[in-house]
Amino acid sequence: MTSTVDAGTTTPEPEIGKARSRKEDEHLLTGRTKWTDNLVLPGMVHLAILRSPLAHARITNIDVTEARKMPGVIAVYTGADLAEEQGSLPCAWQITPDMKAPPAPALAVDTVNFAGEAVAVVAARSAYEAHDALEGIDVDYDELPVVLDLAAAAREGSDLVHPDLGTNVSATWIFDSAEAGTGGNVEDAIRDAEVVVERTFRQQRLIPAFMEPRSTVVDPTGPQITMWSATQVPHVLKLMLAMSLGIPEHKLRVIAPDVGGGFGGKLQVTPEEVVTLLVARRLGKPAKYTETRSESMAAAHHGRDQIQKLTLAARRDGTVTGLKVELLADMGAYLRLVTSGVPILGAFMFNGIYKFGAYHFSCTNVFTNKVPTDAYRGAGRPEATFAIERIMDELAAELSMDPLELREKNWIRHEEFPFATIAGLTYDSGNYEAATARAKELFDYDALRREQAERRERNDPVQLGIGVSTFTEMCGLAPSRVLGSLAYGAGGWEHASIRMLPTGKVEVVTGASAHGQGHETAFSQIVADRLGIPFEDIEVLHGDTQTAPRGLDTYGSRSLAVGGIAIVAAAEKVVAKARPIAAHLLECAEEDLEFTGGRFQVAGTQKAVALTDVALAVFAAHNLPDGIEPNLDSEATYDPDNFSYPHGTHLCAVEVDTETGWVRIRKYVCVDDIGHVVNPLIVDGQVHGGLAQGIAQALYEEAVHDETGTLLSGSFAEYLLPSSADLPEFTTDRTETPATGNPLGVKGVGEAGTIASTPAVVNSVLDAVRHLGVRDIEMPCTPMRVWHAIESAQGGAR
Amino acid sequence: MIPSAFDYVAPTSLDEAVDALVSAGEDAKVIAGGQSLMPVLRLRMAAPTVLVDIGRVPELRGVREDGDELVIGAMTTHHDVAHDPLVREHARLLAEAASTVADPQIRHRGTLGGALAHADPAGDMGAPVMALDGTFVAVGPAGRRSIPAADFFEDYFTTALGADEILAEIRIPKHSGWAAHYEKFNRVAHAWSIVGVAATVAVENGTIAQARVALTNMASVPVRARGVEELLTGRPANADTIREAAEHAAEGTSPIGDGNADVEYRTHLARVLTRRAVTTAAGL
Amino acid sequence: MRITVTVDGTSYTDDVEPRLLLVHYLRDRLGKVGTVVGCDTSNCGACTVHLNGRSVKSCSVLAVQADGAEVTTVEGLATDGALHPVQQAFHDNHALQCGYCTPGMIMSTLDLLSENPDPDDRQVRLGLEGNLCRCTGYQNIVAAAQDAARRLREADATAGGAR
């Protein structure tokens, strides 16, 4: 069916760039949600997990007889019961050929290696009865020495977490610019430097603390084993379950329904998922496990946890010449999915936005008797950005230079892009000048500096500090070849398929796996523009390996920069398939056709046919050109050439009450450049949320253990997430320097706010009190730490 | 997490409540608003076999005047204490402190009596009641008895209430027209007090005619800062007076150190916050 | 124990264990999965509902304590398929991302506005201090609350003060 263009028809305004409110919202706002814990299946059993109270011990006996007798209990299993089936939880990143990794059972068999490790599982008719039955399990432990201190654990002669490994060191990974051929020798640079700044920073251990506790339901009763899980990686999970449990991959289906936040914390193959599957399979009944928050704090993987020693070499005029980074990274007791690789991801970003002549990075991954660390928003890059942005401020202070001036002296200039960095990456585009100028303007930088000076002059008990963070990051994970060169177990492509339905509606299937990011909305906007289909007529499907069989899920700010590009590529294929059919229907040559606004139009005439009409014609297949398949549906798999390099300038002003150490953020301004913007609402939301987490690392959060290895910050009463009352209003703005590597010109944004903000805040706190003699304050900058720092610096003379 | 199983009774009169408590025996617990008890039960830090819910005893709610005293029913919620016109007029300090407890949802359920009986040293309501010289009225099988605030708090989570007694009401001598301020120091808005200072003053013609000050979380129980009060009473209401008086804030306290505050810092905070609390209360 | 609770306008009678938490009663017995559990120390507020007209954390209330009471959950807000102004404001202001904290956040916002129909930025932030969000950084939630306040005041004005 062809149609002519109606007289009043105009090309609709572009969807990309529109502040569209989200398709996802309706069901979330009205409580018609699909959290994993909502699921109820016939005959379903509820699981509860018994966890070790000790951080390091041998299990000498487990007696489950009482538990088995308790009301509602159907079965109780220990690690010994599941030992053969459970295999070892996978680590997908063997960063060095000689990397040491202990076996990682889902249920501990002989030894427990962190407090909270799963030891036994109860299956009962209700969750309440399952929890009760935990008290009927009696475990005898022989305590072993507990290894908690990261620096001590790395030293010869330390007690060992895994005696069989003979060491607590899992691996040491090195990058050297001289060896890599990207620059000179860092020891030379340090030796020849006019100024050398040496600092040791601590990246405290954090807890991702997504609001939805993890939950898994497994139904073993169908032709496939179906697992619903609050995961951000259904595809990875399916593959890893198949490989580590020996389940035929085609017999497994994994579904991520609504997922309440992840932040990297749900990027995992968890003991709980494995246990739920094995129990369900054994019992032949559906099984559900939902963790309590206390369990989540102790047993879901943690983030960060590094000791960073930096040596910065520079000239007296502020030009930086070399950077040496020596890291100790706390793995925890096991290597989970990407535990080993997180610090390595940061290896390429310690040089930041600056031009260095020499760079050396070494990281030693160390085991301790704590829950494993793994990805958490930024995964390695916040650690790197914190270190470089902190030490640049230290250099500025040492040289009595304005910190922004120092950065400008060293950053890559706009006209120098694309730029090959000392760490071996090529940043495609950026404009640090523009972002910084705008940020300074919004911040009223000069006025705040004047106020700071005035307050210092009169020794005001409330001092003002200004912190700078000019960051870039590498996201849009990731070019598969780069991942391969780093010995990561998988690639970094993403897949999309587009189905053109006969009635003109479109189904988009993506391998990305949203857990709050608004993919359905943003991807609909992209497809609406590319195919000229109304936004409302597009349905985005994701999260179910049966519906979206191919994908690599969501993390590393990749869903738009990689997933979105796969969608663009698939859309182009749809148009390419439709073109000859349109030409046939319009009885013209393909070359005479223009495709705009969803219509193929014969150039210079009013003859046109809508893509949706082509779709219907294809369905009927009554009148197609010879040899053409009656199908417009197309798919594409996109493997990026490069990472994505968003950047930004963040400025933070804090008031420090020197009498109490209290820190209040007076003003927070950020100007971020994420290339072209698909949906500004979603982008702002990601920035706000990222800032909140980065600020929280600077001021509030820390996973604290006592000397026995028990997690003291085991609930939201002790692990302090900021509420609305604790955060300021943020001033956000953007510059737009398109990415050069993809047709949308987009860069990732999901982690940027977190990466940038932590050093901005800590720098501002130090800036407020440096004149009092304070050299450093460890994160989080609690009031007590700030006060003590001032007291010590002043010699207690106050 | 999920509490252990318990039996539950919901008496509708005070006598019934006392009887229920007596017959339930040792492993019974009173539940008022439940905002302190429920987390304890959910984490299985306690496993009572019987809960006696006093939430349906009407005579335990509400605020009334009785001569020169305010009588506040133990089941009066923090929200109601904070908003009650009688409290705001005659025991302003109590209202100020109540409005800082936890968050709005918890203030809608949590009760003054429940919080006081729970006696968490970081709880905000003990210090104001101490400062106002309140009296606790307990009802048990032997009848009613009055316990002065100074005698009520014995130790961490330990009060003078017998196992078979219910806190029925809190009596506060009227401090009509006194200005008040509760200075609460915590790390995030919904967190427990690291240190809190309850201050209420009567200022006449530029002189601090009377002052009452008490501290939260500077010991296992709320502490009355009598040393501070002495140095305020009868003195001119100015910064110097207050600064000098506040130096004595830590007297009689025995603060513990924890992750949020070591002893040195806590002690220092007590002085700084006392100065600020009194300054604000005095309208300076 | 037998309890009768009116939830979102419908009366339910059930036999429950005394220890059954109100939030579990709603989710597991009544199938009202809109209200969720986020923690075990009554910090996060994801479980917030209205009990006899006031916001409470349903994880810290026993179902037996709600006997004879009226409970409103997020599922009771929309009327005839139309979003409640607070829900609409959340949508229009992009005040939710993963949505897990959202029902609790909405119920707390409603309660705040019932007591303070015109809160400023600070009052909104303090009014929501009992609800944690990990996704949004709160900025859009604050905007949504003030937007909702305006809509409710306008609706009030149009209705001649009768709501």
Side-chain angles (χ1 to χ4, degrees), chain A residues 21-22 25 29 35 37-38 128 132 207-208 211 293-294 681 685 688-689 701 722 724 727 730, chain C residues 19 21 24 27 33-34 38-40 43 74 87 91 94 97-98 100 122 125 134-136 138-139:
Chain A
S21 50
R22 301 190 325 168
D25 286 357
L29 287 166
W35 311 115
D37 184 64
N38 296 359
Y128 278 44
D132 288 342
I207 302 179
M211 291 315 298
R293 178 59 60 183
S294 305
L681 277 187
H688 297 161
E701 292 180 34
S724 53
L727 291 174
F730 310 118
Chain C
R19 64 172 171 160
L21 305 179
H24 289 146
R27 288 179 59 74
V33 293
C39 75
D40 35 27
N43 289 105
V74 74
Q87 291 169 314
H91 175 64
H94 186 41
Q97 291 182 26
C98 83
Y100 200 74
R122 189 78 204 132
R125 287 178 179 273
R134 202 56 164 151
C135 291
T136 68
Y138 304 105
Q139 185 137 320

Short mmCIF file of all heavy atoms in Angstrom, two decimals, chain A residues 21-22 25 29 35 37-38 128 132 207-208 211 293-294 681 685 688-689 701 722 724 727 730, chain C residues 19 21 24 27 33-34 38-40 43 74 87 91 94 97-98 100 122 125 134-136 138-139:
data_model
loop_
_atom_site.label_atom_id
_atom_site.label_comp_id
_atom_site.label_asym_id
_atom_site.label_seq_id
_atom_site.Cartn_x
_atom_site.Cartn_y
_atom_site.Cartn_z
N SER A 21 9.66 12.30 29.62
CA SER A 21 9.49 11.55 30.87
C SER A 21 9.31 10.08 30.51
O SER A 21 9.01 9.74 29.37
CB SER A 21 8.36 12.10 31.71
OG SER A 21 7.19 12.25 30.96
N ARG A 22 9.51 9.22 31.48
CA ARG A 22 9.83 7.83 31.19
C ARG A 22 8.64 6.91 31.04
O ARG A 22 7.67 7.00 31.79
CB ARG A 22 10.73 7.26 32.29
CG ARG A 22 12.03 8.00 32.49
CD ARG A 22 12.97 7.25 33.43
NE ARG A 22 12.30 6.54 34.50
CZ ARG A 22 12.89 5.64 35.28
NH1 ARG A 22 14.17 5.35 35.07
NH2 ARG A 22 12.21 5.04 36.24
N ASP A 25 7.89 4.60 34.20
CA ASP A 25 7.38 5.13 35.47
C ASP A 25 6.05 4.57 35.92
O ASP A 25 5.83 4.34 37.10
CB ASP A 25 7.26 6.65 35.39
CG ASP A 25 8.60 7.34 35.44
OD1 ASP A 25 9.62 6.65 35.60
OD2 ASP A 25 8.63 8.58 35.32
N LEU A 29 5.30 3.78 39.78
CA LEU A 29 4.61 4.77 40.60
C LEU A 29 3.37 4.21 41.27
O LEU A 29 2.91 4.74 42.28
CB LEU A 29 4.18 5.95 39.73
CG LEU A 29 5.28 6.88 39.26
CD1 LEU A 29 4.74 7.78 38.15
CD2 LEU A 29 5.79 7.72 40.41
N TRP A 35 9.23 -6.86 41.26
CA TRP A 35 10.46 -7.23 41.95
C TRP A 35 10.51 -8.74 42.08
O TRP A 35 9.48 -9.42 42.20
CB TRP A 35 10.52 -6.60 43.34
CG TRP A 35 10.21 -5.14 43.36
CD1 TRP A 35 9.15 -4.54 43.95
CD2 TRP A 35 10.96 -4.08 42.74
NE1 TRP A 35 9.18 -3.18 43.75
CE2 TRP A 35 10.27 -2.86 43.01
CE3 TRP A 35 12.13 -4.02 41.99
CZ2 TRP A 35 10.72 -1.62 42.56
CZ3 TRP A 35 12.58 -2.79 41.53
CH2 TRP A 35 11.88 -1.61 41.82
N ASP A 37 11.24 -10.55 44.55
CA ASP A 37 10.62 -11.03 45.78
C ASP A 37 9.10 -11.09 45.69
O ASP A 37 8.45 -11.73 46.51
CB ASP A 37 11.03 -10.15 46.97
CG ASP A 37 10.49 -10.68 48.29
OD1 ASP A 37 10.91 -11.78 48.69
OD2 ASP A 37 9.63 -10.01 48.90
N ASN A 38 8.52 -10.44 44.69
CA ASN A 38 7.06 -10.51 44.55
C ASN A 38 6.60 -11.88 44.10
O ASN A 38 5.45 -12.26 44.30
CB ASN A 38 6.56 -9.50 43.49
CG ASN A 38 6.81 -8.07 43.89
OD1 ASN A 38 7.34 -7.79 44.95
ND2 ASN A 38 6.42 -7.16 43.02
N TYR A 128 9.22 -17.16 57.23
CA TYR A 128 9.32 -17.07 58.68
C TYR A 128 9.82 -18.39 59.27
O TYR A 128 10.69 -18.41 60.13
CB TYR A 128 7.95 -16.71 59.29
CG TYR A 128 7.61 -15.23 59.25
CD1 TYR A 128 7.84 -14.46 58.11
CD2 TYR A 128 7.05 -14.59 60.36
CE1 TYR A 128 7.53 -13.11 58.08
CE2 TYR A 128 6.72 -13.25 60.32
CZ TYR A 128 6.96 -12.50 59.18
OH TYR A 128 6.66 -11.16 59.15
N ASP A 132 13.31 -19.23 61.32
CA ASP A 132 13.29 -19.87 62.64
C ASP A 132 14.23 -21.07 62.65
O ASP A 132 14.93 -21.32 63.63
CB ASP A 132 11.88 -20.34 62.98
CG ASP A 132 10.94 -19.19 63.32
OD1 ASP A 132 11.43 -18.09 63.61
OD2 ASP A 132 9.71 -19.42 63.27
N ILE A 207 30.11 -0.06 50.68
CA ILE A 207 29.06 -1.05 50.43
C ILE A 207 28.09 -0.46 49.41
O ILE A 207 27.53 0.61 49.65
CB ILE A 207 28.32 -1.41 51.73
CG1 ILE A 207 29.33 -1.94 52.76
CG2 ILE A 207 27.23 -2.42 51.47
CD1 ILE A 207 28.72 -2.31 54.11
N PRO A 208 27.90 -1.11 48.27
CA PRO A 208 27.02 -0.56 47.22
C PRO A 208 25.61 -0.22 47.69
O PRO A 208 25.03 0.76 47.24
CB PRO A 208 27.03 -1.66 46.15
CG PRO A 208 28.37 -2.31 46.30
CD PRO A 208 28.66 -2.28 47.78
N MET A 211 18.96 -0.22 47.01
CA MET A 211 17.81 -0.24 47.92
C MET A 211 17.05 -1.57 47.90
O MET A 211 16.47 -1.96 48.90
CB MET A 211 16.84 0.91 47.61
CG MET A 211 17.38 2.29 47.95
SD MET A 211 18.18 2.40 49.57
CE MET A 211 16.84 1.98 50.66
N ARG A 293 18.56 -7.08 54.84
CA ARG A 293 19.53 -6.02 54.66
C ARG A 293 20.83 -6.36 55.40
O ARG A 293 21.92 -6.11 54.90
CB ARG A 293 18.99 -4.67 55.13
CG ARG A 293 19.99 -3.52 55.01
CD ARG A 293 20.49 -3.28 53.61
NE ARG A 293 19.44 -2.96 52.68
CZ ARG A 293 19.63 -2.76 51.37
NH1 ARG A 293 20.84 -2.87 50.86
NH2 ARG A 293 18.61 -2.48 50.59
N SER A 294 20.72 -6.92 56.59
CA SER A 294 21.92 -7.28 57.36
C SER A 294 22.78 -8.27 56.58
O SER A 294 24.00 -8.19 56.58
CB SER A 294 21.55 -7.88 58.71
OG SER A 294 20.72 -7.01 59.41
N LEU A 681 16.82 14.71 30.91
CA LEU A 681 16.27 14.36 32.24
C LEU A 681 17.02 13.16 32.80
O LEU A 681 17.41 13.15 33.97
CB LEU A 681 14.79 13.98 32.13
CG LEU A 681 13.74 15.06 32.11
CD1 LEU A 681 12.36 14.41 32.18
CD2 LEU A 681 13.91 16.03 33.27
N GLY A 685 19.56 13.05 36.00
CA GLY A 685 19.28 12.09 37.08
C GLY A 685 20.48 11.22 37.39
O GLY A 685 20.80 10.97 38.55
N HIS A 688 23.00 13.46 39.26
CA HIS A 688 22.60 13.68 40.65
C HIS A 688 22.90 12.45 41.50
O HIS A 688 23.46 12.53 42.59
CB HIS A 688 21.09 13.95 40.77
CG HIS A 688 20.63 15.19 40.08
ND1 HIS A 688 19.32 15.41 39.74
CD2 HIS A 688 21.30 16.30 39.68
CE1 HIS A 688 19.19 16.58 39.16
NE2 HIS A 688 20.36 17.15 39.11
N GLY A 689 22.47 11.31 41.00
CA GLY A 689 22.65 10.08 41.78
C GLY A 689 24.13 9.76 41.95
O GLY A 689 24.56 9.29 43.00
N GLU A 701 30.36 7.40 54.22
CA GLU A 701 30.31 5.94 54.19
C GLU A 701 31.65 5.27 54.48
O GLU A 701 32.70 5.75 54.04
CB GLU A 701 29.84 5.47 52.80
CG GLU A 701 28.39 5.81 52.48
CD GLU A 701 27.97 5.32 51.10
OE1 GLU A 701 28.45 4.25 50.67
OE2 GLU A 701 27.16 6.00 50.46
N PRO A 722 23.44 9.06 52.94
CA PRO A 722 22.82 10.37 53.15
C PRO A 722 21.34 10.35 52.76
O PRO A 722 20.94 9.67 51.82
CB PRO A 722 23.61 11.29 52.21
CG PRO A 722 24.20 10.40 51.18
CD PRO A 722 24.38 9.05 51.82
N SER A 724 17.84 12.98 52.03
CA SER A 724 17.63 14.25 51.33
C SER A 724 18.09 15.43 52.17
O SER A 724 18.52 16.46 51.63
CB SER A 724 16.15 14.41 50.96
OG SER A 724 15.34 14.24 52.09
N LEU A 727 22.08 16.27 51.77
CA LEU A 727 22.71 16.64 50.51
C LEU A 727 22.25 18.00 50.06
O LEU A 727 21.11 18.39 50.31
CB LEU A 727 22.39 15.59 49.43
CG LEU A 727 23.05 14.22 49.64
CD1 LEU A 727 22.54 13.24 48.61
CD2 LEU A 727 24.56 14.34 49.54
N PHE A 730 22.24 20.50 43.73
CA PHE A 730 23.38 20.53 42.82
C PHE A 730 23.08 21.47 41.66
O PHE A 730 21.96 21.53 41.17
CB PHE A 730 23.64 19.14 42.24
CG PHE A 730 23.72 18.05 43.26
CD1 PHE A 730 22.81 17.00 43.24
CD2 PHE A 730 24.69 18.06 44.25
CE1 PHE A 730 22.87 15.98 44.18
CE2 PHE A 730 24.76 17.05 45.19
CZ PHE A 730 23.84 16.01 45.16
N ARG C 19 3.54 -12.10 65.32
CA ARG C 19 4.80 -11.51 64.89
C ARG C 19 4.79 -11.09 63.42
O ARG C 19 5.78 -10.55 62.94
CB ARG C 19 5.96 -12.47 65.13
CG ARG C 19 5.85 -13.75 64.31
CD ARG C 19 7.11 -14.56 64.44
NE ARG C 19 6.95 -15.89 63.85
CZ ARG C 19 7.97 -16.65 63.48
NH1 ARG C 19 9.20 -16.22 63.65
NH2 ARG C 19 7.76 -17.84 62.95
N LEU C 21 4.80 -8.99 60.42
CA LEU C 21 4.98 -7.56 60.21
C LEU C 21 3.89 -7.05 59.28
O LEU C 21 3.49 -7.74 58.33
CB LEU C 21 6.34 -7.28 59.60
CG LEU C 21 7.56 -7.83 60.34
CD1 LEU C 21 8.83 -7.46 59.58
CD2 LEU C 21 7.61 -7.31 61.77
N HIS C 24 4.71 -7.44 55.66
CA HIS C 24 4.57 -8.79 55.12
C HIS C 24 3.11 -9.17 54.98
O HIS C 24 2.74 -9.89 54.04
CB HIS C 24 5.30 -9.80 56.02
CG HIS C 24 6.78 -9.70 55.93
ND1 HIS C 24 7.62 -9.94 57.00
CD2 HIS C 24 7.60 -9.37 54.90
CE1 HIS C 24 8.88 -9.76 56.63
NE2 HIS C 24 8.89 -9.43 55.36
N ARG C 27 2.17 -7.55 51.71
CA ARG C 27 2.77 -8.15 50.53
C ARG C 27 2.33 -9.59 50.33
O ARG C 27 1.91 -9.97 49.23
CB ARG C 27 4.30 -8.13 50.66
CG ARG C 27 4.93 -6.77 50.53
CD ARG C 27 6.45 -6.85 50.70
NE ARG C 27 7.06 -7.73 49.69
CZ ARG C 27 7.21 -7.42 48.42
NH1 ARG C 27 6.82 -6.25 47.96
NH2 ARG C 27 7.79 -8.29 47.59
N VAL C 33 1.97 -5.91 46.58
CA VAL C 33 3.41 -5.89 46.47
C VAL C 33 3.97 -4.51 46.20
O VAL C 33 5.18 -4.35 46.08
CB VAL C 33 3.88 -6.88 45.38
CG1 VAL C 33 3.59 -8.31 45.81
CG2 VAL C 33 3.22 -6.56 44.05
N GLY C 34 3.14 -3.53 46.10
CA GLY C 34 3.63 -2.16 45.89
C GLY C 34 4.47 -1.66 47.05
O GLY C 34 5.34 -0.83 46.88
N GLY C 38 13.13 -2.71 52.61
CA GLY C 38 14.47 -2.32 52.17
C GLY C 38 15.55 -2.52 53.21
O GLY C 38 16.73 -2.51 52.88
N CYS C 39 15.16 -2.68 54.48
CA CYS C 39 16.19 -2.80 55.50
C CYS C 39 15.60 -3.54 56.69
O CYS C 39 14.44 -3.93 56.65
CB CYS C 39 16.72 -1.43 55.93
SG CYS C 39 15.61 -0.46 56.98
N ASP C 40 16.35 -3.72 57.75
CA ASP C 40 15.78 -4.31 58.96
C ASP C 40 16.00 -3.47 60.20
O ASP C 40 15.87 -3.96 61.31
CB ASP C 40 16.25 -5.76 59.18
CG ASP C 40 17.67 -6.01 58.74
OD1 ASP C 40 18.46 -5.05 58.73
OD2 ASP C 40 17.97 -7.17 58.37
N ASN C 43 15.35 2.20 58.92
CA ASN C 43 16.01 3.42 58.45
C ASN C 43 15.53 3.86 57.07
O ASN C 43 15.39 5.05 56.81
CB ASN C 43 17.53 3.22 58.37
CG ASN C 43 18.18 3.13 59.74
OD1 ASN C 43 18.56 2.08 60.19
ND2 ASN C 43 18.26 4.27 60.40
N VAL C 74 0.57 2.79 48.36
CA VAL C 74 0.73 3.50 47.08
C VAL C 74 -0.29 3.01 46.07
O VAL C 74 -0.67 3.74 45.15
CB VAL C 74 2.18 3.32 46.56
CG1 VAL C 74 2.40 1.90 46.02
CG2 VAL C 74 2.50 4.35 45.50
N GLN C 87 1.93 11.33 42.44
CA GLN C 87 2.49 10.39 41.49
C GLN C 87 2.82 11.09 40.17
O GLN C 87 3.89 10.89 39.59
CB GLN C 87 1.52 9.22 41.23
CG GLN C 87 1.34 8.30 42.41
CD GLN C 87 0.18 7.33 42.23
OE1 GLN C 87 -0.91 7.71 41.81
NE2 GLN C 87 0.40 6.07 42.56
N HIS C 91 6.48 11.65 38.27
CA HIS C 91 6.71 11.28 36.87
C HIS C 91 7.25 12.47 36.08
O HIS C 91 8.26 12.36 35.38
CB HIS C 91 5.40 10.79 36.27
CG HIS C 91 5.47 10.47 34.80
ND1 HIS C 91 6.25 9.47 34.28
CD2 HIS C 91 4.85 11.03 33.73
CE1 HIS C 91 6.11 9.42 32.97
NE2 HIS C 91 5.27 10.35 32.60
N HIS C 94 10.89 13.44 36.86
CA HIS C 94 11.89 12.36 36.83
C HIS C 94 12.43 12.12 38.24
O HIS C 94 13.64 12.13 38.48
CB HIS C 94 13.02 12.68 35.85
CG HIS C 94 13.99 11.54 35.66
ND1 HIS C 94 13.61 10.22 35.56
CD2 HIS C 94 15.35 11.51 35.60
CE1 HIS C 94 14.67 9.45 35.42
NE2 HIS C 94 15.74 10.20 35.44
N GLN C 97 14.15 6.48 39.58
CA GLN C 97 14.97 5.77 38.60
C GLN C 97 14.68 4.28 38.70
O GLN C 97 13.92 3.77 37.91
CB GLN C 97 16.45 6.10 38.81
CG GLN C 97 16.76 7.54 38.43
CD GLN C 97 18.22 7.93 38.56
OE1 GLN C 97 19.12 7.09 38.48
NE2 GLN C 97 18.48 9.22 38.74
N CYS C 98 15.20 3.60 39.72
CA CYS C 98 14.89 2.17 39.81
C CYS C 98 13.48 1.95 40.37
O CYS C 98 12.89 0.91 40.14
CB CYS C 98 15.93 1.42 40.63
SG CYS C 98 15.67 1.47 42.43
N TYR C 100 12.52 1.59 43.53
CA TYR C 100 12.32 0.79 44.74
C TYR C 100 11.91 1.63 45.93
O TYR C 100 11.07 1.24 46.73
CB TYR C 100 13.59 -0.02 45.07
CG TYR C 100 13.31 -1.19 45.97
CD1 TYR C 100 12.67 -2.33 45.48
CD2 TYR C 100 13.64 -1.15 47.32
CE1 TYR C 100 12.40 -3.41 46.30
CE2 TYR C 100 13.37 -2.24 48.15
CZ TYR C 100 12.75 -3.37 47.63
OH TYR C 100 12.46 -4.44 48.45
N ARG C 122 14.20 23.26 52.21
CA ARG C 122 14.72 22.69 53.45
C ARG C 122 13.65 21.83 54.13
O ARG C 122 13.93 20.74 54.61
CB ARG C 122 15.16 23.82 54.38
CG ARG C 122 15.92 23.34 55.61
CD ARG C 122 17.36 22.97 55.31
NE ARG C 122 17.90 22.03 56.27
CZ ARG C 122 18.58 20.90 55.95
NH1 ARG C 122 18.82 20.61 54.69
NH2 ARG C 122 19.04 20.10 56.88
N ARG C 125 13.25 18.56 52.36
CA ARG C 125 14.38 17.66 52.61
C ARG C 125 14.30 17.05 54.00
O ARG C 125 14.57 15.87 54.20
CB ARG C 125 15.69 18.39 52.39
CG ARG C 125 15.99 18.64 50.91
CD ARG C 125 17.28 19.41 50.68
NE ARG C 125 17.53 19.61 49.25
CZ ARG C 125 18.16 18.74 48.46
NH1 ARG C 125 18.61 17.60 48.97
NH2 ARG C 125 18.34 18.99 47.18
N ARG C 134 18.90 5.65 46.67
CA ARG C 134 20.30 5.46 46.26
C ARG C 134 20.51 5.90 44.83
O ARG C 134 21.64 5.99 44.38
CB ARG C 134 20.63 3.97 46.43
CG ARG C 134 22.08 3.58 46.57
CD ARG C 134 22.83 4.23 47.68
NE ARG C 134 24.08 3.52 47.95
CZ ARG C 134 25.17 4.09 48.44
NH1 ARG C 134 25.17 5.37 48.71
NH2 ARG C 134 26.26 3.38 48.67
N CYS C 135 19.44 6.14 44.09
CA CYS C 135 19.55 6.42 42.66
C CYS C 135 19.54 7.90 42.30
O CYS C 135 20.28 8.32 41.44
CB CYS C 135 18.39 5.77 41.88
SG CYS C 135 18.40 3.99 41.80
N THR C 136 18.66 8.67 42.92
CA THR C 136 18.36 9.98 42.36
C THR C 136 19.14 11.13 42.95
O THR C 136 19.11 12.24 42.40
CB THR C 136 16.87 10.35 42.57
OG1 THR C 136 16.65 10.55 43.98
CG2 THR C 136 15.94 9.30 42.04
N TYR C 138 18.16 12.73 45.26
CA TYR C 138 17.05 13.48 45.87
C TYR C 138 16.63 14.76 45.16
O TYR C 138 15.55 15.26 45.40
CB TYR C 138 17.34 13.83 47.34
CG TYR C 138 17.65 12.64 48.19
CD1 TYR C 138 18.97 12.39 48.60
CD2 TYR C 138 16.66 11.75 48.58
CE1 TYR C 138 19.26 11.27 49.37
CE2 TYR C 138 16.96 10.63 49.35
CZ TYR C 138 18.26 10.40 49.73
OH TYR C 138 18.56 9.29 50.49
N GLN C 139 17.47 15.31 44.31
CA GLN C 139 17.16 16.64 43.76
C GLN C 139 15.79 16.67 43.07
O GLN C 139 14.98 17.56 43.31
CB GLN C 139 18.26 17.03 42.77
CG GLN C 139 18.10 18.42 42.24
CD GLN C 139 19.41 19.16 42.20
OE1 GLN C 139 20.23 19.05 43.11
NE2 GLN C 139 19.62 19.92 41.13
#
